[in-house]
Amino acid sequence: MNAAIETLRKILQLESQKGFQNNCVVGGLDKAGPMWRQQAAQAALPAGFVGTLATGLANYPSLPEGRRPQAVAEMLAQLELLAAGVPVAKPPAATQLRPATQQGAKQPEHQSTNKKQRTPPAERDRPAVQRPVPAAAAVPTEPDPNMHLDSPLTVIPGVGPKFAEVLAKLGLSRLGDTLHYFPHRYLDYSALKPINRIEYGDQATIIGTVREVSGRKVKGGQLHMVRAVIGDSTGEIECTWFNQPWLQDQLRTSLQIQVSGRVDLQLGRLVLSSPDWDEVDSEALHTGRIVPIYNLTKGLGGKQLRRWMHAAVYGVAPRASDPLPAPLREKLQMQSLPAALAAAHFPQNQQQLDAARQRLAFDELFALQLNLRQQRAEWQAQPGHALAEPAGWLASAIGTLAFPLTAAQQRVLADLLADMAQPVPMKRLIQGDVGSGKTVVAALALALAVRNGVQGAIMAPTSILAEQHFRTMRTLLAAFPQLDLGGADMPAVRLLQGSTPATERAAIDEGLRTGTVKVLVGTHAVIQAQVHFAKLGLVVVDEQHRFGVLQRAALREKGMHPHLLVMTATPIPRSLALTIYGDLDLSVIDEMPPGRQQVQTHVVPPKERERAYGLVRKEVAGGHQAYIICPLVEDSDSPDTKAVVEEHERLQRSVFPELRLGLLHGRLRPAEKDAIMQAFRAGEIQILVATSVIEVGVDVPNATIMLIEGANRFGLAQMHQLRGRVGRGADQSYCLLLPEPGSAGAAAARNNSNERLKIMESTSDGFVLADKDLAMRGPGDFLGTQQAGFVDLQMARLSDLKLIEMARREADLLFKQDPLLTLPEHQQLAALVAQSAATASGDVS
């Protein structure tokens, strides 16, 4: 690094570390200015750049202390840009142009902004590529004095009140807003080729001379087509544009231009249809480079917005305060925020774009991790219930079980007991595959809470799952020693649902207030306002991703800082466990009880449907039961989509008339669902035709086969959950995946190339499937619809485990040093964390 730049950088960093008191050098920063100016001049740094910084140093003592961190950040940003080798540039050309049309008039999308006349040399002697494609304009190290982060967009030439209203629809009202209005994709036009080397399908840029230009009406006068022949020394190519008649005047013969677009084929000839173009000596925002593509709104063109974004971003990027302390940036070898912002909008190459994305993604993840640590610290700062295990009680309780605990269950139980013994609230997530034994561990924890004189509550997302938990808890808790649960009818363990009769609800409410109800199992009804606990000490939330964060918080607030245990049978990728659930301690039950057989999974092409029905019939004939899953309750617009109501009727009438079929879906009344499930458990129903409502909570060991209709419509995580409803007994079980006929999924199944269904065939490892699902479908299947907006991440990907672990590691180190981010050098970072917290939808647990 240049010695003059390094000297001033160290001075400014020291000023930051000393709290911006102007005491980092003897006499203050203003006294250091003249000496540094001489050093900079000897190093041949640009005079304008040196003058700007020298003025900043001279004015520093007169700044209010609250303004000094920003001033230091701006000077450091300018030094970073210069040190990174970004050349000093004049303000971008877009800021020097008059608008091409009157304000409010439609501006041609492909209009060139450079009208300078040129006299080209002899074309035939010119080499195929005369010069490299012009690079993007550099980020100016001298900010435009008329452009500030809070300046209105109307300071950009061409943006008047009318266009300002249009841009406001995109959420852009000031220059600072543009910095984080990132492109939603990019077109790579950086591949420069001579004409004789381009091929059909290329995204190519060529440099050539306009040799012919003509225009004519086509399609009966409905369209106006402009045709231009562009040539270099290797050949010629035709370019066409539609409904842009002004191009006939702009594309003058002998004008040298660069043209970028996709190479098509028309009547056997290579052509460029509606390509972007620029004159060779223009700024080249739209061709010959990686071109940013922004989301638009009515009344706004892509090239028009790109020019304005270029002017805005390059005008104020150097003013962006960098929240990462300089020592941390150096440790991680990350570029400055101003440089990253500029490169994210107008990268000169793919490497620059990747580096910018990594820096911006790290900021998002780092802020998220710090936010999670603050949440966790706030949660554990509250006094909790220390629930100790009486000597020998646990061994006695485990001894009442009809089966031994697996090593994984014992390990997770030890985690819970250690947490619950502390006088601070537990906050732990148990993750375990379907059938791994999470409920038994939760029952032991609830029993320990009751044994210590506090109440417990367990909330499930569906009535089916709530009822199953209720039956399981009554059975298990009745056998555990030293629990006073009220005798055979166990009035101390109650079930509360929306369908609970008013008289029974009143009795439950009274029992909760007096403490005679020790354990409450229920659905969303548990968090209703009229439900009050006497002393709630442990909250268990099952299938937690199905609840919104406010619902979980409402249950937790029913007690005085109760311990919180959340459970999920959906395997969560490690990257999500470190982010979305990063404020919880994680325990994994990664071992299945002995005697379980792996479910055999097969993709069945639609033409072999009868073979699938035959296997279902064979299993039922052997005394077992079956599920047939349909994706929808009622018929849809797609004739291939199986709707459960119509399919149930068809199967009973035409396919299995000799068998007893039942129908289950989410629109049935609770009493109807209960009756159907009771009949299925009792074996009265041989085939249950259902929607994914049976995804969680249905435990019928005699069910050994599942047929999933429209399997291509389900995600891997959901299919894995559905598959977990079979194979719960000792008999071999099967899961048949049947894609929709005529769909891409069906064709892929016939060709053994449907990746998702093939993955389901190949593994029963939920964690492998979770990682695949995250990569292929995003985090929606894991977060649930009510949490999909938990984190507003623009650059970071929740599948980027390496960057997430880096952010988590650095957040841990920083949190130990300055948990409240009160040190002067962390003020900008504190603002970033506050902004991150503001975009979250609440407590993530």
Side-chain angles (χ1 to χ4, degrees), residues 37 148 154 199 204 351 369 387 395 421 499 541 596 715:
R37 189 164 191 162
H148 301 274
T154 50
E199 298 177 358
Q351 293 74 21
Q369 292 294 335
L387 308 179
S499 59
V541 180
R596 287 288 185 92

Side-chain angles (χ1 to χ4, degrees), residues 719-734:
M719 279 193 286
H720 182 62
Q721 286 279 63
L722 289 168
R723 179 170 61 182
R725 299 306 107 202
V726 295
R728 304 181 74 85
D731 297 305
Q732 179 61 58
S733 295
Y734 307 89

Side-chain angles (χ1 to χ4, degrees), residues 348-385:
Q348 297 184 10
N349 51 56
Q350 187 62 46
Q351 293 74 21
Q352 193 182 81
L353 177 58
D354 291 343
R357 281 174 162 169
Q358 183 183 42
R359 164 61 211 266
L360 297 170
F362 178 83
D363 283 9
E364 292 176 340
L365 295 170
F366 190 49
L368 171 61
Q369 292 294 335
L370 288 170
N371 181 27
L372 291 172
R373 274 144 194 76
Q374 290 180 353
Q375 284 192 34
R376 180 185 177 87
E378 291 171 6
W379 171 252
Q380 295 191 330
Q382 307 295 334
H385 304 275

Side-chain angles (χ1 to χ4, degrees), residues 287-492:
T287 62
R289 53 168 296 131
I290 297 177
V291 177
I293 307 297
Y294 296 94
N295 285 321
L296 302 174
T297 189
K298 186 177 180 180
L300 193 60
K303 294 181 76 172
Q304 185 179 40
L305 178 59
R306 196 175 301 125
R307 283 193 295 269
W308 292 344
M309 289 293 295
H310 184 262
V313 170
Y314 278 40
V316 296
R319 298 187 183 278
S321 300
D322 200 324
L324 294 190
L328 179 58
R329 288 204 311 275
E330 292 178 1
K331 172 185 176 182
L332 301 179
Q333 295 183 331
M334 288 190 175
Q335 61 187 186
S336 70
L337 180 62
L341 288 169
H345 287 276
F346 295 96
Q348 297 184 10
N349 51 56
Q350 187 62 46
Q351 293 74 21
Q352 193 182 81
L353 177 58
D354 291 343
R357 281 174 162 169
Q358 183 183 42
R359 164 61 211 266
L360 297 170
F362 178 83
D363 283 9
E364 292 176 340
L365 295 170
F366 190 49
L368 171 61
Q369 292 294 335
L370 288 170
N371 181 27
L372 291 172
R373 274 144 194 76
Q374 290 180 353
Q375 284 192 34
R376 180 185 177 87
E378 291 171 6
W379 171 252
Q380 295 191 330
Q382 307 295 334
H385 304 275
L387 308 179
E389 177 213 347
W393 176 86
L394 180 62
S396 299
I398 294 175
T400 67
L401 299 173
F403 45 82
L405 294 182
T406 65
Q409 287 174 306
Q410 295 179 44
R411 183 180 66 249
V412 171
L413 184 59
D415 291 340
L416 293 182
L417 296 180
D419 286 351
M420 293 169 64
Q422 301 302 314
V424 295
M426 173 179 70
K427 206 173 186 185
R428 184 168 289 276
L429 168 65
I430 294 182
Q431 179 180 353
D433 219 336
V434 287
S436 61
K438 299 181 298 299
T439 304
V440 173
V441 174
L444 286 165
L446 286 167
L448 178 61
V450 174
R451 181 69 181 79
N452 277 269
V454 299
Q455 296 165 297
I458 179 168
M459 185 166 70
T462 66
S463 59
I464 292 175
L465 183 54
E467 290 159 12
Q468 180 168 304
H469 279 319
F470 176 63
R471 287 190 298 272
T472 302
M473 291 300 163
R474 282 169 58 97
T475 301
L476 293 174
L477 294 176
F480 292 154
Q482 303 175 7
L483 298 182
D484 181 14
L485 300 177
D489 59 349
M490 296 187 69

Side-chain angles (χ1 to χ4, degrees), residues 25 65 192 210 247 266 270 295-296 315 343 358 379 428 459 480 553 572 593 596 599 618 628 637 739 745 813:
V25 294
E65 288 192 10
L192 182 62
V210 179
L247 293 181
Q266 290 183 4
L270 297 179
N295 285 321
L296 302 174
Q358 183 183 42
W379 171 252
R428 184 168 289 276
M459 185 166 70
F480 292 154
I572 301 171
R596 287 288 185 92
V599 177
K618 179 182 177 182
I628 296 180
D637 294 335
L813 294 173

Side-chain angles (χ1 to χ4, degrees), residues 161-175:
K162 291 183 179 179
F163 275 125
E165 291 179 5
V166 174
L167 292 168
K169 297 177 183 178
L170 301 176
L172 305 175
S173 59
R174 61 189 191 97
L175 292 183

